Amino acid sequence: MKKIVLLASGSGSNAENIIKYFREKNSLHNFHIITNKKDAFVLDRAKKMNVSAEVITKKQNDEGVLLDRITELKPDLIVLAGYLLLFPADIVALYPNKIVNIHPALLPKFGGKGMYGSFVHDAVVANKETETGITIHYVSEHYDEGAVIFQAKTPVAETDTALDVAAKVHELEYEHFPKVIEKLLND
Ligand code: GRF
């Protein structure tokens, strides 16, 4: 049984999908959700799934609360699934290769500060890209820069809107993110 801490800032559909994937396999892994937003929908999902969850704000991150909680929780893996804050560098230093993030584009393209959610998909469409995808990578002290673990691609049609691209990317996320996590837990 492994302990996995999932961090999400908003909807949390990836967090839910990951937990469901392991539950469907009757895995005994233990999940805990942390969000930085007290009204994030991921909290409703956590309640519905009966998964423990808590809010740790950006201010609390700066005060070392997240570091203290992670130290208490002793996770085997920390998963950023739509977590929009820069992850504290002191935690990154303590957990080398135990923190992973999913980015909704093919890094190094369309990454970095301010490149999240619809901004990424808007940029992909504006740039007339013919393909996009997902990148699962280790977290470093810079946005979207750690070593790449996995990428998957999807074509972008000329007529695709940013919403169409987002839907294609989410599909890839739901398919691959749980499997990559499973592999990392088994390595
Ligand atoms: C995902 O597209 C993820 O790649 C990104 O933020 C989005 C989060 O979606 N970084 P959700 O909260 O899991 O629904």
Side-chain angles (χ1 to χ4, degrees):
M1 187 180 96
K2 299 274 170 82
K3 174 124 207 164
I4 300 120
V5 173
L6 292 162
L7 289 102
S9 298
S11 165
S13 68
N14 275 285
E16 176 169 349
N17 179 59
I18 290 162
I19 293 167
K20 285 193 167 153
Y21 173 87
F22 285 99
R23 285 194 173 164
E24 273 162 24
K25 293 191 139 197
N26 294 322
S27 124
L28 296 174
H29 295 330
N30 187 283
F31 290 92
H32 180 73
I33 292 177
I34 296 177
T35 181
N36 57 303
K37 294 275 179 201
K38 62 178 188 314
D39 55 354
F41 189 64
V42 70
L43 292 169
D44 298 71
R45 295 188 196 265
K47 206 170 190 183
K48 198 179 71 192
M49 291 188 293
N50 215 3
V51 170
S52 58
E54 68 188 297
V55 179
I56 301 180
T57 62
K58 179 174 185 319
K59 183 168 173 281
Q60 287 177 302
N61 280 8
D62 296 341
E63 293 163 354
V65 176
L66 185 59
L67 171 61
D68 290 348
R69 275 303 277 148
I70 297 283
T71 309
E72 273 167 19
L73 290 162
K74 295 189 184 60
D76 296 284
L77 195 65
I78 299 168
V79 176
L80 312 190
Y83 186 66
L84 300 184
L85 300 181
L86 185 63
F87 205 67
D90 45 4
I91 311 181
V92 175
L94 283 172
Y95 288 85
N97 293 346
K98 279 196 172 184
I99 311 170
V100 298
N101 179 48
I102 190 158
H103 186 77
L106 296 169
L107 289 175
K109 283 184 164 181
F110 306 106
K113 192 166 165 50
M115 269 298 182
Y116 60 88
S118 58
F119 297 110
V120 176
H121 309 308
D122 285 342
V124 164
V125 170
N127 226 39
K128 300 194 187 317
E129 295 291 315
T130 54
E131 61 178 17
T132 187
I134 59 168
T135 303
I136 298 168
H137 64 94
Y138 288 113
V139 170
S140 72
E141 63 275 27
H142 304 291
Y143 277 112
D144 303 324
E145 278 188 17
V148 171
I149 302 166
F150 176 88
Q151 289 188 308
K153 292 178 180 174
T154 184
V156 178
E158 258 177 63
T159 50
D160 277 352
T161 63
L163 278 179
D164 296 326
V165 174
K168 289 178 176 179
V169 166
H170 258 126
E171 236 174 78
L172 288 180
E173 294 182 334
Y174 298 150
E175 183 186 347
H176 296 288
F177 205 11
K179 291 180 188 156
V180 171
I181 291 168
E182 185 174 40
K183 189 169 176 309
L184 292 171
L185 290 169
N186 292 333
D187 274 351

